[in-house]
Amino acid sequence: MAQKRLMQELQALQKEKWVYIETDDLNMMRWKVGLWVVNPDSIWHGAYLRAEMRFPGDYPYQPPSFKFLTQRICHPNVYTDGNLCISILHRPGDDEQSGELASERWNVLHGVESVLRSVLLLMDDPEINSPANVDASVLFRDNRKLYDSMAKDIVDQSQQEIPDGVRMPTTAEISPVPVKLVEDDIDFWNMSDEEEDFGGSDSDEDMGDFEEDEDDDDDDDEAK
């Protein structure tokens, strides 16, 4: 089941331009991933972040692991060895010790794409209250200028590791494709007089006859 699910996810992700994936022909449970940071407002803008994902045999019931291969990433939620600490990759269920709710952690509805998008969001909005890298957390909080400068250095370094034939997509290339709205049926809104009775029933006509009968009875009573 795990390999079938991963094949389906891989086919969908191969259509995306913000991520580049290499798989091991001998081990489908291990992926090499390249993430483009295309957000122009991000301090990581332009970075090509390499990572490795490993999937357990009971995926998607249990989460994959995620480790950055890009060296020396200075980020509050990235361990010095590159391993990432993020709630979505924590085992399912509430965790009383950390205070994380099940809704914040892994569940079978998640997939590779949701993990990768969460990683990109975390890069710009780190969780500094429970950091994996205390020094980076302090730097982010107290010396943002130096933190940003170190991030820029990583961006420059990562651009030297882009695979041949791979390029950063433009903002336009990753924008959602506009959905063509179905035009209203013009004839529906320009009904003829006869069609304006749409939705009426035969009982409505019978009620009209009944009302006329009542008027006739009233006229007879007045005549008396």
Side-chain angles (χ1 to χ4, degrees), residues 7 25 61 65-66 119 129 191 208 220:
M7 281 299 300
D25 293 336
Y61 297 103
S65 64
F66 186 100
V119 171
N129 292 326
M191 295 183 295
D220 292 341

Side-chain angles (χ1 to χ4, degrees), residues 6 102 146 148 196:
L6 287 173
L146 179 56
D148 291 355
E196 287 181 355

Side-chain angles (χ1 to χ4, degrees), residues 82-101:
N83 280 298
L84 178 70
C85 181
I86 186 172
S87 297
I88 196 175
L89 293 181
H90 294 166
R91 296 174 69 86
D94 296 331
D95 185 355
E96 295 181 0
Q97 184 174 358
S98 67
E100 288 181 343
L101 301 177

Side-chain angles (χ1 to χ4, degrees), residues 72-90:
R72 302 192 307 277
I73 291 181
C74 179
H75 188 280
N77 305 117
V78 179
Y79 291 100
T80 54
D81 64 357
N83 280 298
L84 178 70
C85 181
I86 186 172
S87 297
I88 196 175
L89 293 181
H90 294 166

Side-chain angles (χ1 to χ4, degrees), residues 37-43 45 171:
V37 182
V38 295
N39 177 11
D41 298 324
S42 172
I43 60 170
H45 178 247
T171 304

Side-chain angles (χ1 to χ4, degrees), residues 1 43 55 58 87 94 112:
M1 177 180 179
I43 60 170
F55 301 88
D58 53 355
S87 297
D94 296 331
V112 179

Side-chain angles (χ1 to χ4, degrees), residues 1-67:
M1 177 180 179
Q3 291 196 12
K4 181 178 180 181
R5 165 76 177 256
L6 287 173
M7 281 299 300
Q8 293 173 339
E9 295 193 51
L10 178 61
Q11 291 173 359
L13 283 169
Q14 285 176 331
K15 300 176 183 178
E16 300 288 345
K17 297 183 181 297
W18 53 273
V19 58
Y20 177 73
I21 298 175
E22 295 179 279
T23 58
D24 186 338
D25 293 336
L26 300 178
N27 185 4
M28 184 61 187
M29 313 300 281
R30 180 180 177 182
W31 291 12
K32 293 291 182 63
V33 177
L35 287 176
W36 284 110
V37 182
V38 295
N39 177 11
D41 298 324
S42 172
I43 60 170
W44 302 93
H45 178 247
Y48 180 78
L49 302 176
R50 298 183 304 112
E52 179 183 70
M53 296 186 72
R54 297 195 178 201
F55 301 88
D58 53 355
Y59 178 84
Y61 297 103
Q62 295 298 329
S65 64
F66 186 100
K67 180 180 181 179

